[in-house]
Each structure stands twice: as C-alpha cells, then as structure tokens.
Amino acid sequence: MWLHPGPALLGWPESRPDYFAVTRSKTPPATWADVLGVIAPARRRGRQVKSRWSAGAHFTPSRYGAHPRHTHDALTSRTAAATWVVQHAAEPANGGS
C-alpha cells in the first residue's frame, strides 16, 4: 500500500498534504482506476474533527469527479484509515459498509 498526497489526481480542489490517495503502486495515480481509496482528516461543517480520519473506497467516476460508494468518517488515525481502505478495496464493490 502506498499513500500519495493530493490533489495530483483529477482536479482535487486544493493542495493539501493531509489528503491521500491509497494505491498498490508507488507510482502516483494517473486515473481513478489506479486508486484503492482516499483518506483525509474528518471534517464537520468545514472544520477538522480532532483525532478522526475519514476514508472512502470503490470510487464511481462521474463528470463532476469520483464518488466513493463506501465511506467511514470516525477512524482514529491515518494508519487506521489506510487499513480500512485496503480491507474494503479487497471486497466486491457492492458489499461492505
């Protein structure tokens, strides 16, 4: 598993070193097909939730970006968020939580 800081992938809105694309390769992702998931600090109403990370997996590309079909926003560390992505990326896209 490799973490690549955003927004290098497909027009993420701003350069934030705390947003990561999770991949199987050390090569930065070029398309959403290269991405297992995305992790970032959890946010509520635009503010970061202290000591919480969010994760998303199984992205569906659209003309407005890509949207995760599975998410979790109460993970306690960046490592826990990356582990969650890897676990959910291994599941079928229609399964999981």
Side-chain angles (χ1 to χ4, degrees):
M1 161 180 58
W2 296 85
L3 301 181
H4 304 276
L9 183 66
L10 302 177
W12 287 1
E14 56 189 69
S15 179
R16 298 193 54 111
D18 51 354
Y19 284 61
F20 297 90
V22 181
T23 69
R24 287 187 175 97
S25 168
K26 67 179 181 178
T27 304
T31 70
W32 282 105
D34 301 332
V35 176
L36 297 175
V38 173
I39 62 174
R43 297 192 177 276
R44 295 276 191 276
R45 298 185 190 146
R47 293 183 176 213
Q48 184 173 343
V49 178
K50 189 173 185 168
S51 301
R52 293 290 180 253
W53 284 77
S54 62
H58 292 293
F59 283 82
T60 303
S62 74
R63 66 188 269 184
Y64 302 106
H67 304 283
R69 283 182 258 164
H70 304 289
T71 61
H72 191 313
D73 66 354
L75 297 154
T76 58
S77 69
R78 182 173 61 183
T79 301
T83 300
W84 184 94
V85 166
V86 170
Q87 289 170 346
H88 281 76
E91 295 177 0
N94 60 356
S97 58

